């Protein structure tokens, strides 16, 4: 029987896909008997007690080679409490939709830079593929994303939206983390 855990889920999104991923993680936790306390780092609550939190999951999208500033700020500001629990990092990017090894290496460096900047070192990282929502982007974003997509061999037809997130792979990652976290908890 798996331990029931109360999980702090911190996320930030710019275009909405990481919110969908955070919602999915929240549902997954509940469906598996755990409890989720969700925080949007862009609008964090004024006060939050993390005393009774057993584990932390942080989810953030890569935008121009980095994560949203509110997420970096929030994690940095609470790093002591966060590091006292086992943590999982879910990055969301277009890179993770492809298989270019140098792009993947860069993605791992981007995630490591987040840890260096914030001081938060998760025990495990999952690189989830995000989405291209061309029909929702303004002119500038559409132009920029088309260039990024072209470089990554992703679709460039801006008349359509594309979702690359592999929900099954995300569930498998969560399953592994939730099973391992209680054992790790005493060691962090
Ligand atoms: C302005 C912009 C810049 C982006 N830059 C990158 C990037 O540098 N590397 C990458 O892999 N994906 C990049 N992407 C793709 C996003 O990571 C992907 O669309 C993701 O789903 C966005 O998450 P969000 O909807 O939660 O903001 C970028 C997307 C946008 C809109």
């Amino acid at each position: 029987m798996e331990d029931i855990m109360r999980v702090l889920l911190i996320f930030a999104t710019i275009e909405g896909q990481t919110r969908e991923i955070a919602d999915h993680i929240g549902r997954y936790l509940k469906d598996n008997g755990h409890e989720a306390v969700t925080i949007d780092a862009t609008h964090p609550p004024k006060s939050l007690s993390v005393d009774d939190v057993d584990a932390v999951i942080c989810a953030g999208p890569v935008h121009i080679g980095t994560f949203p500033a509110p997420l970096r700020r929030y994690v940095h500001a609470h790093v002591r409490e966060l590091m006292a629990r086992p943590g999982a990092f879910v990055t969301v990017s277009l890179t993770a939709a492809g298989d270019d090894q140098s792009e993947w290496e860069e993605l791992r460096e981007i995630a490591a830079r987040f840890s260096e900047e914030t001081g938060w070192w998760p025990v495990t990282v999952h690189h989830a593929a995000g989405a291209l929502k061309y029909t929702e982007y303004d002119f500038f974003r559409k132009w920029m994303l088309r260039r990024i997509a072209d470089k990554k061999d992703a679709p460039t037809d801006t008349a359509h939206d594309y979702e690359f997130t592999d929900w099954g792979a995300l569930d498998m990652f969560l399953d592994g983390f939730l099973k391992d976290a209680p054992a790790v908890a005493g060691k962090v």
Side-chain angles (χ1 to χ4, degrees):
M1 171 68 189
E2 223 176 275
D3 298 37
I4 306 292
M5 281 188 290
R6 189 169 150 88
V7 180
L8 180 63
L9 173 57
I10 306 163
F11 79 97
T13 186
I14 294 178
E15 303 293 344
Q17 189 65 13
T18 312
R19 181 187 304 283
E20 287 189 31
I21 288 177
D23 287 349
H24 179 93
I25 295 172
R27 273 195 307 277
Y28 186 89
L29 290 168
K30 286 192 187 110
D31 289 350
N32 286 278
H34 303 291
E35 200 186 324
V37 182
T38 306
I39 290 182
D40 179 345
T42 311
H43 310 285
K46 287 223 160 46
S47 68
L48 171 82
S49 165
V50 295
D51 289 349
D52 50 355
V53 165
D54 304 303
V56 176
I57 299 176
C58 174
V62 178
H63 280 250
I64 326 210
T66 189
F67 293 92
L71 186 67
R72 286 185 275 139
R73 275 199 297 271
Y74 189 86
V75 170
H76 182 60
H78 297 87
V79 70
R80 271 166 61 105
E81 298 100 298
L82 302 186
M83 278 302 286
R85 278 110 190 144
F89 190 18
V90 177
T91 78
V92 181
S93 70
L94 199 51
T95 299
D99 53 13
D100 183 315
Q101 287 315 302
S102 67
E103 300 266 346
W104 268 90
E105 192 49 44
E106 200 181 308
L107 178 57
R108 284 188 276 268
E109 280 167 20
I110 291 168
R113 213 156 45 236
F114 178 85
S115 289
E116 277 155 22
E117 280 176 28
T118 59
W120 181 64
W121 293 89
V123 290
T124 180
V125 181
H126 177 68
H127 297 293
L132 280 171
K133 297 184 179 166
Y134 285 124
T135 65
E136 293 174 21
Y137 299 149
D138 59 23
F139 179 81
F140 175 66
R141 271 188 155 67
K142 202 180 277 189
W143 171 80
M144 187 162 55
L145 255 287
R146 205 175 176 283
R147 286 188 54 184
I148 294 174
D150 197 27
K151 203 174 138 228
K152 297 181 190 299
D153 283 334
T156 51
D157 177 358
T158 58
H160 301 276
D161 292 341
Y162 305 88
E163 189 192 75
F164 307 104
T165 310
D166 182 339
W167 302 102
L170 177 60
D171 289 352
M172 269 173 60
F173 169 77
L174 294 171
D175 189 49
F177 175 62
L178 294 168
K179 284 205 170 91
D180 291 346
V184 178
K187 296 181 189 136
V188 292

